[in-house]
Amino acid sequence: MIYGLTGQIISIVMSFIVRTVFIYTLGIEYLGVEGLFSSILLMLSLANLGFDTAMIYSMYKPLADKDKYKIQALMNLYKKAYRLIGFVVFIIGLAIVPILPNLMNGTTSVEHINIIYMLFLLNSASSYYFVYKQSIIIADQKNYIISKVHTKFVIISNVIQVILLISTRNYIVVLIIQILFRIIENIYLAKKANDLYPFLKVKNKAKLTNEEKKDFFENLYSLLLYKISGVVINGTDNIIIAAFLGIAIVGIYSNYLLILMTLSTLLSYIFYSVTASVGNLHVTESTEKKYFIFRVIHFLNFWTYGFCVICLWNLLNPFITLWLGEAYVFDKLIVLCILFNFLTAGMQNASTIYRETTGLFKKGKYRPIIAAVINIVASLLLVNNLGLAGVFLGTVFSRLCTYFWFDPYVIFKYLFQRSVQSYFKNYIFYFLLIIAIAYLTDLLGSYILVHNPMLNFIFRGILCLIVPNLVFFILFRRSEELKYVLNLMKKMIPINVNRRKGLSS
């Protein structure tokens, strides 16, 4: 968590610097092109088929058992699969070139659009030929190694990009630098994996048994369906916006998306760090303990995402105004829909963690496909009537029709063996509480007028820091979930101190 969060904070700072220089040197249309092409290639990543998740999951046991032959067999399969995937991504990407003009509403002043797209495609396809060896590092709980290396490459690459943007204003040169640094980083990490696990360098013909292959591909099939759904739900928004509303709107939205994705990534380091612990809990503890920890995670999920949404509602537009100017700001209705999408996605974390660690992802495995279809249809219908807000409402609608109710239903029925009504009651209460406090802080911020934009931003920030956390604490100070979290934090402090002393001695 420490290395991941530190690296992510550095990436955040560098991203904002590069984004600012990018906008002022090249303009919003180039930003829109980048957002559109990134979404297209996200769709092409369906070729991955969930191989990375299935492979990492398959390596946990052989790593614990030090079964080198099994690891070699898995890596051989992964190597062949990813080289094929890289080739498929490149071929499908080439087939899209003739229809690129149809994906952009109106003309664009961006020159050499096909060359830019080909560089994006090359960047995506080439990564598959080197990245597969990182899976063993991740499965062996040494992801901090990857975080350290990635942070160094991010700093160097972004500094060079800023220099090139200011000196040349040439987007193609910047993209070439991105490709070179990504390839070098992946080659370096592949070499690092060889150093950590020397048996990977030994030539071998290790293969999985037929039974092992069957188990692997059964898990892969279920994960594939989730992969398709996730890519469609997260990747189609920019494509629909570009096709119906224009490339410039994609560029403006990409600034909001950068902030939201940054927050999501930071929060994911907190929640998904407990995934392995929940997996252990599933096989060692009673049903009551599993249910209680689920409630704790759901409570923490509400507090962190609720706090973030309240801050974003009050500070997002003022921040972008200070950063880029009023021309890059959406109206309140669009921001509301964007945050509604962000909150409903974030509030699923507890259900997602339990679904993935207990094997319940095999229940209702076709539901993700239904979610993806609903998302596309609803977004296409609503964008014509509601414009940009309709795209996000379509995504929210698809999530409410599927993930929102089905995941907790399955978990409560098969794991906790109790009614799911208590979950939905808590969810609705949490949701309404977040809306009420967001309105309250906005009202307080508007009531006390501060004409200086920077001072207004700081004042609203102080309100957002105090009001929601104070209200949450007053309302939940007697709850079992909060008491458990506070006691756990108290226990962790002396443990960390003793560990440091032990390491020093």
Side-chain angles (χ1 to χ4, degrees), residues 183-199:
I183 291 173
I184 294 169
E185 179 185 347
N186 287 332
I187 292 173
Y188 180 85
L189 285 169
K191 184 178 181 301
K192 192 72 177 177
N194 287 339
D195 294 338
L196 291 168
Y197 313 97
F199 58 88

Side-chain angles (χ1 to χ4, degrees), residues 260 263-264 267 301-316 332 335-347 430-431 433-439 441-442 464 468 472:
L260 296 176
L263 268 176
S264 295
L267 293 173
N301 203 43
F302 141 72
W303 192 308
T304 52
Y305 272 88
F307 172 68
C308 288
V309 166
I310 292 164
C311 291
L312 289 168
W313 175 248
N314 285 274
L315 301 174
L316 193 52
K332 281 276 192 176
V335 174
L336 178 65
C337 295
I338 291 173
L339 295 184
F340 192 23
N341 186 25
F342 174 76
L343 180 60
T344 53
M347 288 286 282
Y430 290 157
F431 194 83
L433 183 61
I434 292 167
I435 293 173
I437 299 174
Y439 175 77
T441 50
D442 192 21
C464 290
F472 290 162

Side-chain angles (χ1 to χ4, degrees), residues 15-23 31 34 254-255 258 323:
S15 294
F16 276 104
I17 293 171
V18 173
R19 177 63 58 99
T20 304
V21 175
F22 194 108
I23 291 171
L31 203 60
E34 185 176 81
S254 67
N255 298 319
L258 172 65
W323 176 32

Side-chain angles (χ1 to χ4, degrees), residues 137-374:
I137 300 175
I138 297 168
D140 201 22
Q141 302 181 64
K142 295 178 180 177
N143 199 35
Y144 63 90
I145 294 172
I146 296 174
S147 295
K148 286 197 290 184
V149 173
H150 180 65
T151 300
K152 292 174 184 176
F153 275 88
V154 163
I155 293 171
I156 298 170
S157 172
N158 284 338
V159 167
I160 293 174
Q161 286 180 55
V162 167
I163 293 171
L164 289 172
L165 281 169
I166 294 172
S167 60
T168 69
R169 294 176 178 260
N170 191 318
Y171 188 39
I172 291 175
V173 174
V174 172
L175 286 177
I176 292 171
I177 291 297
Q178 287 180 7
I179 294 169
L180 288 175
F181 269 88
R182 184 166 187 175
I183 291 173
I184 294 169
E185 179 185 347
N186 287 332
I187 292 173
Y188 180 85
L189 285 169
K191 184 178 181 301
K192 192 72 177 177
N194 287 339
D195 294 338
L196 291 168
Y197 313 97
F199 58 88
L200 294 180
K201 294 186 285 187
V202 179
K203 289 187 177 181
N204 64 84
K205 295 183 179 179
K207 292 183 179 179
L208 297 174
T209 65
N210 290 333
E211 188 64 30
E212 288 170 337
K213 285 182 179 178
K214 182 181 177 183
D215 290 340
F216 175 79
F217 284 104
E218 280 181 358
N219 288 331
L220 180 62
Y221 178 61
S222 296
L223 290 167
L224 162 64
L225 300 178
Y226 281 96
K227 176 77 173 180
I228 291 172
S229 176
V231 168
V232 171
I233 289 174
N234 295 318
T236 53
D237 284 353
N238 274 344
I239 297 173
I240 293 172
I241 294 168
F244 285 84
L245 304 173
I247 203 75
I249 300 298
V250 177
I252 296 173
Y253 171 57
S254 67
N255 298 319
Y256 285 80
L257 189 61
L258 172 65
I259 296 168
L260 296 176
M261 291 303 295
T262 298
L263 268 176
S264 295
T265 304
L266 285 171
L267 293 173
S268 71
Y269 280 110
I270 297 170
F271 286 101
Y272 289 102
S273 64
V274 305
T275 300
S277 299
V278 173
N280 178 260
L281 183 83
H282 174 60
V283 297
T284 60
E285 296 289 350
S286 66
T287 301
E288 285 300 316
K289 184 63 178 290
K290 296 174 193 175
Y291 174 57
F292 177 69
I293 297 300
F294 176 86
R295 285 164 46 200
V296 171
I297 296 173
H298 186 52
F299 174 75
L300 283 175
N301 203 43
F302 141 72
W303 192 308
T304 52
Y305 272 88
F307 172 68
C308 288
V309 166
I310 292 164
C311 291
L312 289 168
W313 175 248
N314 285 274
L315 301 174
L316 193 52
N317 274 358
F319 174 76
I320 291 177
T321 302
L322 288 170
W323 176 32
L324 300 171
E326 291 187 3
Y328 295 90
V329 171
F330 287 137
D331 64 47
K332 281 276 192 176
L333 175 61
I334 295 173
V335 174
L336 178 65
C337 295
I338 291 173
L339 295 184
F340 192 23
N341 186 25
F342 174 76
L343 180 60
T344 53
M347 288 286 282
Q348 291 293 124
N349 277 338
S351 299
T352 301
I353 291 170
Y354 268 71
R355 182 191 71 207
E356 292 180 352
T357 55
T358 58
L360 290 173
F361 55 80
K362 293 181 181 180
K363 298 286 184 183
K365 57 188 175 184
Y366 295 107
R367 172 183 45 83
I369 302 300
I370 297 171
V373 172
I374 293 174

Side-chain angles (χ1 to χ4, degrees), residues 15 27 44 61 75 130 132 187 193 244 318 337 355 358 432 453 461 491:
S15 294
L44 290 182
K61 192 174 188 304
M75 292 301 289
F130 307 103
Y132 70 95
I187 292 173
F244 285 84
C337 295
R355 182 191 71 207
T358 58
L432 293 176
K491 290 177 182 179

Side-chain angles (χ1 to χ4, degrees), residues 389-441:
V391 178
F392 305 119
L393 288 178
T395 303
V396 171
F397 180 72
S398 69
R399 188 177 295 116
L400 293 177
C401 288
T402 51
Y403 293 98
F404 165 71
W405 68 270
F406 189 83
D407 281 356
Y409 168 76
V410 168
I411 292 166
F412 274 72
K413 180 178 180 180
Y414 294 99
L415 186 63
F416 303 145
Q417 298 174 356
R418 63 174 66 216
S419 172
V420 74
Q421 287 184 5
S422 60
Y423 169 84
F424 289 122
K425 286 179 181 177
N426 283 335
Y427 189 107
I428 293 169
F429 175 68
Y430 290 157
F431 194 83
L432 293 176
L433 183 61
I434 292 167
I435 293 173
I437 299 174
Y439 175 77
L440 174 63
T441 50

